[in-house]
Amino acid sequence: RFLIGRISALGKGSIKPIRLNIASKGGDYRPVLELYDAISNCRAPVYGVVSMAYSGALVILQGCTLRIGRVGSLYLAEPARHELVVCVDPYTDSKLLSEITETHVSETLQPYVREMWQRAHIILLERVISAGKTEEDLHRLLRATPRILSTEEALEWGFIETVMYRP
């Protein structure tokens, strides 16, 4: 919440770029998507500089105006996970998905958790398509989880736009 408020405050009426250093192992998708929205809606340009962007942090990075990867950075592409759900993954057997969600999440929360995952998936899909890849390419990448990408691979997939060779 602090970071969301800080980005919103810095971006009000300002055109001075904000540098957001990202070194995160991810986290719950609710705050991830809230931070993505704050960055995307910020009036000032937000430059995301990555040393590590795992899971939800990779989604947050996509909200940045400019996405920069440091040499040697690591990126983890995986299906969205939620603290209450083992794995909400539409590529798994649907019966298994039902058993997992019914066991761990109330029926009221199931649509909410699926909606969060789908939104994160769409955010990543937009970047992958802009890099000339297809939705099927993204599905293959996510099925091979956990899949740690190098800086060069993140650039190839469109998750970052440029590489920073100096600190």
Side-chain angles (χ1 to χ4, degrees):
R1 294 263 177 230
F2 171 78
L3 187 54
I4 293 169
R6 188 79 176 125
I7 287 173
S8 296
L10 287 171
K12 282 187 180 173
S14 174
I15 56 168
K16 183 178 178 187
I18 299 169
R19 179 178 167 153
L20 179 64
N21 291 312
I22 299 174
S24 173
K25 293 183 180 180
D28 180 35
Y29 270 70
R30 185 176 36 82
V32 160
L33 292 171
E34 288 174 1
L35 186 51
Y36 169 86
D37 287 339
I39 292 168
S40 296
N41 296 322
C42 184
R43 292 184 56 171
V46 179
Y47 300 161
V49 181
V50 177
S51 57
M52 176 174 51
Y54 283 15
S55 190
L58 187 60
V59 174
I60 290 168
L61 175 64
Q62 304 317 303
C64 296
T65 312
L66 179 62
R67 299 171 321 281
I68 304 164
R70 293 180 184 272
V71 170
S73 299
L74 298 175
Y75 307 79
L76 178 66
E78 66 177 347
R81 297 178 190 276
H82 188 272
E83 58 197 21
L84 299 175
V85 180
V86 174
C87 182
V88 178
D89 184 354
Y91 312 117
T92 61
D93 177 71
S94 59
K95 182 179 178 188
L96 175 62
L97 180 61
S98 298
E99 288 172 6
I100 290 171
T101 56
E102 286 172 14
T103 304
H104 297 283
V105 178
S106 72
E107 284 186 27
T108 336
L109 282 179
Q110 287 177 28
Y112 173 70
V113 171
R114 281 194 184 103
E115 182 181 315
M116 282 192 308
W117 187 89
Q118 289 168 343
R119 183 147 180 253
H121 177 80
I122 289 167
I123 290 166
L124 294 178
L125 180 60
E126 288 172 356
R127 291 296 181 205
V128 166
I129 288 174
S130 72
K133 301 210 180 276
T134 66
E135 186 168 9
E136 184 55 37
D137 292 332
L138 179 60
H139 292 181
R140 277 194 297 274
L141 175 69
L142 295 177
R143 281 188 208 128
T145 60
R147 173 73 191 276
I148 296 178
L149 303 174
S150 67
T151 302
E152 293 75 20
E153 290 171 312
L155 187 62
E156 175 188 327
W157 280 91
F159 297 134
I160 60 173
E161 297 170 272
T162 188
V163 178
M164 179 186 285
Y165 292 96
R166 288 188 238 149

